[in-house]
Amino acid sequence: MDLNGKGSLLDPLLQSSENVTINMAQAPRRDDFKTRKIKFKIGGISCASCTASIELVVGAKEGVESVMVSPIQGHVEIAYRPEIVNAKMIKEAIEDMGYNVDEFQDKSISVCCIRIKGMACTSCSESVERSLLMVDGVKKAVVGLALEEAKVHFDPDITNPDRLIEAIEDTGFGANLISSGDDVNKVYLKVVGIHSQNDAVLVQSSLEAMEGVNHVELDPVGQKVTVTYDPDLTGPRSIIHCIEEAGQSPGLFLVSLYSAPRPREMERQHQVRVYRNQFLWSCLFSVPVFLFSMVLPMLPPYGDWLYTKIFNDLTIGMLLRWLFCSPVQFIIGWRFYIGSYHALRQGSSNMDVLVAMGTNTAYFYSLYVVLKSLTSRSFEGQDFFETSAMLISFILLGKYLEVIAKGKTSEALAKLADLAPETASLLIFDEGDNVIAETEISTQLLQRNDVIKIVPGAKVPVDGIVISGQSYVNESMMTGEARPIAKGSGDKVIGGTVNENGCIVVKATHVGSETALSQMVQLVEAAQLSKAPVQKLADKISRVFVPTVVVVALLAWLGWFIPGAAHLYPRTWIPSGMDEFELALQFGISVLVVACPCALGLATPTAVMVATGKGASQGVLIKGGSALEKAHKVKTIVFDKTGTLTVGKPAVVDRMLFSGSSLQEVCDLAAAAEANSEHPISKAVVDSAKKLNSKYNSINDRVMDAKDFKVHPGAGVSAIVSGKAVLVGNKRLMLASNVLISREVERYLTETENLARTCVLVAVDGEVSGALAVSDPLKPEAGQVVSFLASMGITSIMITGDNQATATAIAREVGITTVFAETDPVGKAEKIKDLQGKGLTVAMVGDGINDSLALAAADVGMAIGAGTDVAIEAADVVLMKSNLEDVVTAIDLSLKTLSRIRMNYVWALGYNILAMPVAAGALFPFTGIRLPPWLAGACMAFSSISVVCSSLLLQSYKKPLRVENFLNPMENGSPV
């Protein structure tokens, strides 16, 4: 284990396959920031003159700074300035010379996240997505309705975030940048002492000249500096020191951290305030309209004054309703006009179109009634101002409650993000590596390779490795694993977990956005933004639903107006104060409003948000909606053996005595002889003795000293322990040392080898006293997981590169009947494709680099959290606890989520379909029941709220399988 923060510990613990990274060999100079590199694979390079001609022609192109051609590999690497020339132009220049560019490796793709304001339904999100995809340079765009965010992959040579925001605003929605690909490591600083432009220039130039600083944003008025940096080259404390040193005199600039803004939470709170205020203002005007139209007229003589005529047939009540309704329609309801305009301009229709049509129809017909009453003494007509005002009020109430409820869908994720402690104890060393000081600093100021002390009860601030001390760390906050994990020198610790009893010293290896906690949050956020395939159904429905609703509403109006005008139904059906036109109009408006499909767009994303957040809090990291949806369809699960079904390292799984000595004494002698060996089996023997002593509460907690230690290559070891000659090894060592092998020992040897275990014999003073069976033991939960999967109708298969005998023995022990042994990585992927060819949905569970192809080939790849970064990157699901019971959890959570999504569709689409006939007046002739437009608006709002609340029920999800109480280790062959 490398304790200096090098090697694999520098690699992110979790990686998203969507991330695009550029590895830089050295710190970029200021002049290099605008230089990009691109690689092409070129076919047709046959000689040195080809190389020279490519270098000459491409190198002469304006903006190209360097060209390096490798004729053997057929690669060309070009450094260029994107403001002058782009990669496409360079590619075309090479093709014009007659060469084939077989592979265009686009390394310059950037990613940004944009907050979008004002989306109401899937039609809105589809309009934004289409607009983004039409922008030149955009490679991929995903718009999440529930998160109200867009994630865009684009070519920075062609476009930029400002252009993307402009494209969104052109569709009628507000937008602001949340983050770009360069924002991975940022520090927010308050700098007191910037009093002039010269001070600001001094601070900015000092930072920009600093090695590892990528970007500086300075606000001289607010005295705030935001610095983006490369954590491999610098860190927050170095940046603060640079600013303090920039002053012409000591203490000129006083630097401190300030809390970084949380755009998502700030925007959500802003939305809550906006909808609340709009609803309250709407109520201020709508309630009087409701009173003047529906309450006071029914309470004579209190409402009689409303019928007092002002001029001709215009009454006081009619005028008051008009005056109070107009601000609601045109000021508070202006948002619906804007949304409708932009939707129709884009050639689509959304919720705003339906609301605007319904309210405008009611309002302008009522206005016609007012004007007709004003100019006539014999006109009789009923206004619908209450319909317009109350409809807008109920829709705003629904949006207000919906925003509050949607804020709860990411609660599990928010709890994860807040796990890291605010402060850490930093150790300061002198040149001789002696601790000279200990200081408490903000966790945000920690840098890679810092050494921190973690006392009992404190949280681990960042990811790192223990360099001294021993303790037990509770990792349940991150992984859901209830039992504390022993940590000693060389063990990894995860930021956000709790140190329980001992004091440990940790060297930071991952800080800031590189920690497992931060990356888990980032991956879950990406999963919440991605669309599940089932969401495509909602998108397709929404494209035709709104036009269909408009047609149905028109037919409902005509279906009531024409028979009414032709006197085909009794006049008694028409409520007093109305005529056939007004009755038909109310039915048409009710259909427009009640069928509004805003809840349809929330059905899938809200469920996915809650499920992925809940899964992450329980140690099951699901990378996207697609994986979440596919997991419940799995009928066959393929398990790797080593490190997946088994622990992944040798351990003593059985013991046998052949003499009168106690088992503890034989194991202690064997451990003493093996203590000086580095062989994995030797370590297993020593660990077994320690566990046995611990089990029997022995005071002998240290290994006895051994003399005359010798290694016998391929056979074992020998030593003198407490005056006794001890041999620990295989049968060959015993025979070479003239130790007699009895029939009983031979029989045990044969039984052990038939179980694909390694038999280690222990001889004391020339006599075999005992034997230890060493194997890579099964994980304690493996058998129960396979059994539980079988009860779910899922077939388990094992595939391994190990030999057939070992594979068969392990499979038999765990309860798997189908085994593929001695299979290479490509063979594993091919076996999975064969299974898929039979029509099966296949999941693969693995942990190693050799499993990455199979994980990618499977319908659902599940990587063990303790596995390699390559496997984790290739997988769709990461089992953070490395516990196989979470395979069941992932499948069951998928099943529950899909069930919840279907229920959401019932609340959304089914509700609309059932309510539309009622709104259209289907029950009115038989029961007299009709749905006034304002009540239809309340029902529509209830539909959206019910969908979100339905999704929130997933917060109560509990694992179906918890393997906690195992059998006695000696009885089930687990490590002893």
Side-chain angles (χ1 to χ4, degrees):
M1 178 66 71
D2 185 354
L3 300 184
N4 294 317
K6 297 181 180 179
S8 63
L9 291 173
L10 288 179
D11 298 331
L13 298 179
L14 298 172
Q15 298 178 356
S16 171
S17 58
E18 292 185 345
N19 289 346
V20 179
T21 59
I22 300 174
N23 296 321
M24 295 186 179
Q26 58 183 13
R29 302 184 303 275
R30 287 185 63 192
D31 293 339
D32 291 337
F33 289 139
K34 293 185 178 179
T35 300
R36 295 190 184 276
K37 286 186 177 181
I38 191 75
K39 276 187 178 181
F40 296 100
K41 187 175 182 181
I42 303 175
I45 301 178
S46 57
C47 59
S49 62
C50 297
T51 302
S53 61
I54 292 173
E55 290 179 345
L56 182 64
V57 173
V58 178
K61 201 166 184 64
E62 187 180 4
V64 173
E65 297 195 342
S66 67
V67 182
M68 289 192 303
V69 181
S70 172
I72 297 174
Q73 295 179 327
H75 289 177
V76 59
E77 184 175 292
I78 303 159
Y80 65 97
R81 297 184 72 84
E83 71 273 17
I84 300 173
V85 67
N86 60 43
K88 186 178 180 182
M89 294 165 63
I90 297 170
K91 179 191 176 189
E92 289 172 351
I94 299 172
E95 289 176 335
D96 289 343
M97 297 173 64
Y99 297 100
N100 295 321
V101 180
D102 298 328
E103 186 177 341
F104 181 26
Q105 297 178 331
D106 196 348
K107 296 292 186 182
S108 58
I109 296 300
S110 294
V111 182
C112 70
C113 287
I114 300 173
R115 168 75 62 195
I116 303 172
K117 307 171 187 175
M119 292 192 300
C121 60
T122 50
S123 295
C124 300
S125 61
E126 281 198 319
S127 295
V128 175
E129 201 166 286
R130 281 198 303 270
S131 297
L132 286 169
L133 290 170
M134 289 172 65
V135 176
D136 288 340
V138 171
K139 306 294 183 182
K140 180 183 177 184
V142 180
V143 178
L145 175 63
L147 280 179
E148 296 182 319
E149 286 182 14
K151 187 174 185 180
V152 188
H153 298 246
F154 63 95
D155 186 342
D157 296 348
I158 301 174
T159 189
N160 55 55
D162 292 337
R163 177 69 190 88
L164 300 175
I165 289 172
E166 186 182 329
I168 295 170
E169 290 174 343
D170 284 345
T171 61
F173 301 98
N176 59 278
L177 187 67
I178 299 175
S179 65
S180 64
D182 298 327
D183 294 345
V184 177
N185 291 283
K186 265 189 177 182
V187 61
Y188 300 86
L189 302 173
K190 179 85 171 176
V191 183
V192 177
I194 300 178
H195 301 299
S196 66
Q197 186 62 30
N198 288 337
D199 291 338
V201 171
L202 181 62
V203 170
Q204 184 148 358
S205 59
S206 298
L207 287 172
E208 288 179 341
M210 184 179 178
E211 184 182 44
V213 170
N214 295 336
H215 184 65
V216 179
E217 294 177 22
L218 181 62
D219 175 15
V221 178
Q223 295 190 325
K224 293 177 180 178
V225 180
T226 303
V227 183
T228 306
Y229 63 93
D230 184 345
D232 289 332
L233 304 171
T234 189
R237 294 201 310 281
S238 301
I239 292 169
I240 291 173
H241 182 70
C242 175
I243 297 173
E244 291 173 342
E245 289 292 311
Q248 296 176 351
S249 59
L252 177 62
F253 299 129
L254 299 176
V255 189
S256 60
L257 290 168
Y258 78 92
S259 298
R262 288 188 175 186
R264 179 177 295 172
E265 183 59 27
M266 289 170 61
E267 181 61 30
R268 194 184 72 81
Q269 291 176 0
H270 174 70
Q271 281 186 332
V272 169
R273 287 194 301 270
V274 167
Y275 280 118
R276 181 195 62 200
N277 293 341
Q278 287 185 340
F279 170 67
L280 292 177
W281 277 107
S282 181
C283 285
L284 185 64
F285 293 97
S286 299
V287 170
V289 175
F290 179 72
L291 291 173
F292 296 152
S293 63
M294 305 189 73
V295 178
L296 291 178
M298 300 176 65
L299 299 173
Y302 303 107
D304 292 347
W305 60 277
L306 293 170
Y307 296 103
T308 304
K309 294 183 179 180
I310 301 173
F311 186 78
N312 288 338
D313 280 340
L314 181 66
T315 63
I316 292 176
M318 196 177 293
L319 180 63
L320 288 175
R321 289 192 291 271
W322 177 35
L323 292 175
F324 276 97
C325 176
S326 294
V328 178
Q329 181 70 38
F330 296 108
I331 299 175
I332 298 169
W334 186 246
R335 56 179 288 118
F336 300 113
Y337 287 96
I338 295 174
S340 300
Y341 166 73
H342 287 289
L344 294 172
R345 198 184 73 171
Q346 294 288 323
S348 64
S349 52
N350 59 11
M351 184 196 81
D352 292 335
V353 173
L354 293 181
V355 174
M357 287 180 64
T359 57
N360 276 305
T361 303
Y363 179 85
F364 284 106
Y365 174 76
S366 301
L367 183 59
Y368 161 76
V369 171
V370 169
L371 295 176
K372 194 71 174 175
S373 300
L374 186 63
T375 57
S376 173
R377 294 186 177 183
S378 59
F379 177 75
E380 290 185 5
Q382 173 69 36
D383 63 86
F384 297 120
F385 285 119
E386 81 284 350
T387 294
S388 171
M390 293 180 65
L391 179 56
I392 290 174
S393 296
F394 273 112
I395 289 171
L396 291 174
L397 173 62
K399 296 301 290 183
Y400 171 57
L401 296 175
E402 182 185 310
V403 169
I404 292 175
K406 278 163 65 177
K408 297 181 181 294
T409 58
S410 290
E411 276 188 354
L413 189 59
K415 289 176 183 176
L416 276 178
D418 293 334
L419 283 179
E422 294 182 358
T423 60
S425 296
L426 178 68
L427 300 182
I428 310 297
F429 295 84
D430 61 15
E431 294 181 358
D433 289 338
N434 299 310
V435 178
I436 57 173
E438 179 182 331
T439 180
E440 190 168 300
I441 65 168
S442 169
T443 302
Q444 296 177 50
L445 294 177
L446 288 176
Q447 300 180 181
R448 186 174 289 167
N449 292 329
D450 278 345
V451 178
I452 49 181
K453 184 174 83 172
I454 304 169
V455 297
K459 285 184 177 181
V460 179
V462 293
D463 296 356
I465 49 175
V466 179
I467 57 176
S468 67
Q470 289 187 339
S471 182
Y472 282 88
V473 175
N474 186 337
E475 297 184 345
S476 60
M477 291 182 179
M478 273 287 289
T479 66
E481 178 59 61
R483 289 171 293 181
I485 309 299
K487 299 291 182 181
S489 182
D491 290 333
K492 293 182 183 180
V493 289
I494 304 172
T497 56
V498 179
N499 180 30
E500 294 222 327
N501 48 17
C503 181
I504 53 176
V505 176
V506 172
K507 175 168 281 191
T509 57
H510 298 77
V511 296
S513 61
E514 297 176 329
T515 63
L517 181 61
S518 296
Q519 291 187 19
M520 178 186 281
V521 171
Q522 291 168 25
L523 283 175
V524 175
E525 286 177 342
Q528 292 179 348
L529 190 60
S530 67
K531 287 185 180 180
V534 71
Q535 175 68 19
K536 293 176 183 177
L537 174 63
D539 294 343
K540 289 177 182 177
I541 292 171
S542 70
R543 290 193 194 105
V544 298
F545 198 74
V546 174
T548 303
V549 168
V550 173
V551 172
V552 171
L554 183 63
L555 292 174
W557 175 70
L558 291 173
W560 280 99
F561 175 61
I562 292 173
H567 304 291
L568 297 179
Y569 58 78
R571 182 69 180 81
T572 55
W573 284 12
I574 303 175
S576 61
M578 284 191 192
D579 60 21
E580 60 274 359
F581 176 82
E582 293 164 348
L583 178 64
L585 188 64
Q586 283 221 352
F587 283 128
I589 294 171
S590 294
V591 170
L592 279 177
V593 175
V594 80
C596 195
C598 50
L600 188 65
L602 296 171
T604 297
T606 52
V608 170
M609 286 174 67
V610 177
T612 50
K614 187 66 177 177
S617 68
Q618 298 199 4
V620 181
L621 186 58
I622 301 168
K623 289 189 180 180
S626 179
L628 186 64
E629 182 179 340
K630 286 190 292 187
H632 83 285
K633 300 176 183 176
V634 169
K635 291 300 177 186
T636 302
I637 295 187
V638 178
F639 289 95
D640 174 46
K641 182 181 77 71
T642 307
T644 301
L645 287 172
T646 65
V647 174
K649 62 179 182 179
V652 174
V653 295
D654 191 28
R655 306 185 186 95
M656 179 64 71
L657 281 175
F658 299 110
S659 67
S661 303
S662 69
L663 179 63
Q664 197 169 350
E665 181 185 355
V666 171
C667 289
D668 285 342
L669 291 172
E674 293 276 27
N676 294 316
S677 173
E678 292 297 320
H679 195 280
I681 290 180
S682 299
K683 292 182 180 297
V685 172
V686 174
D687 289 343
S688 174
K690 289 179 178 178
K691 288 177 182 177
L692 191 65
N693 286 327
S694 175
K695 181 179 178 180
Y696 292 109
N697 298 317
S698 172
I699 59 171
N700 182 22
D701 57 352
R702 71 178 188 86
V703 177
M704 294 181 284
D705 293 330
K707 299 178 181 178
D708 298 335
F709 172 78
K710 290 181 182 178
V711 175
H712 303 270
V717 298
S718 62
I720 303 298
V721 182
S722 300
K724 297 178 181 179
V726 179
L727 290 171
V728 184
N730 56 23
K731 180 180 179 181
R732 183 155 58 89
L733 177 64
M734 300 299 142
L735 294 175
S737 304
N738 298 317
V739 175
L740 180 65
I741 305 294
S742 66
R743 289 185 179 178
E744 186 182 8
V745 174
E746 284 280 8
R747 187 166 53 251
Y748 184 77
L749 273 168
T750 303
E751 291 173 357
T752 303
E753 288 170 357
N754 288 339
L755 292 172
R757 296 172 178 176
T758 300
C759 188
V760 177
L761 299 176
V762 182
V764 180
D765 291 335
E767 180 184 351
V768 176
S769 297
L772 306 173
V774 179
S775 177
D776 182 4
L778 277 174
K779 288 182 176 177
E781 72 276 11
Q784 293 187 44
V785 168
V786 170
S787 175
F788 196 92
L789 288 171
S791 70
M792 296 172 67
I794 298 173
T795 304
S796 297
I797 294 173
M798 189 174 79
I799 188 165
T800 178
D802 209 340
N803 65 72
Q804 187 69 49
T806 303
T808 303
I810 292 292
R812 185 167 57 246
E813 193 172 350
V814 80
I816 293 176
T817 55
T818 306
V819 180
F820 299 105
E822 300 175 20
T823 309
D824 61 16
V826 176
K828 290 183 179 182
E830 288 176 350
K831 289 290 184 186
I832 285 175
K833 290 176 182 176
D834 290 343
L835 292 168
Q836 290 170 330
K838 297 176 182 177
L840 298 172
T841 302
V842 182
M844 169 71 191
V845 187
D847 71 316
I849 293 174
N850 61 334
D851 298 323
S852 56
L853 283 176
L855 288 168
D859 295 290
V860 181
M862 300 185 186
I864 299 296
T868 63
D869 293 338
V870 176
I872 289 172
E873 184 177 355
D876 302 301
V877 179
V878 181
L879 311 179
M880 294 296 294
K881 295 188 306 180
S882 302
N883 195 321
L884 290 176
E885 70 186 42
D886 287 336
V887 172
V888 176
T889 303
I891 294 171
D892 186 66
L893 182 59
S894 168
L895 192 65
K896 296 289 194 302
T897 304
L898 265 292
S899 174
R900 184 55 53 187
I901 289 172
R902 293 189 190 100
M903 182 60 68
N904 287 352
Y905 278 137
V906 171
W907 281 109
L909 192 61
Y911 173 85
N912 289 349
I913 292 171
L914 290 174
M916 277 175 67
V918 180
L923 299 180
F924 185 65
F926 313 107
T927 62
I929 295 174
R930 63 189 179 93
L931 204 61
W934 64 269
L935 186 57
C939 293
M940 185 204 70
F942 175 76
S943 177
S944 295
I945 296 164
S946 63
V947 164
V948 178
C949 292
S950 172
S951 295
L952 286 171
L953 291 175
L954 285 169
Q955 289 279 23
S956 61
Y957 174 80
K958 288 183 172 55
K959 294 184 177 185
L961 176 63
R962 284 188 177 272
V963 185
E964 292 177 348
N965 301 317
F966 305 126
L967 298 173
N968 186 294
M970 290 293 288
E971 294 174 352
N972 68 353
S974 59
V976 288

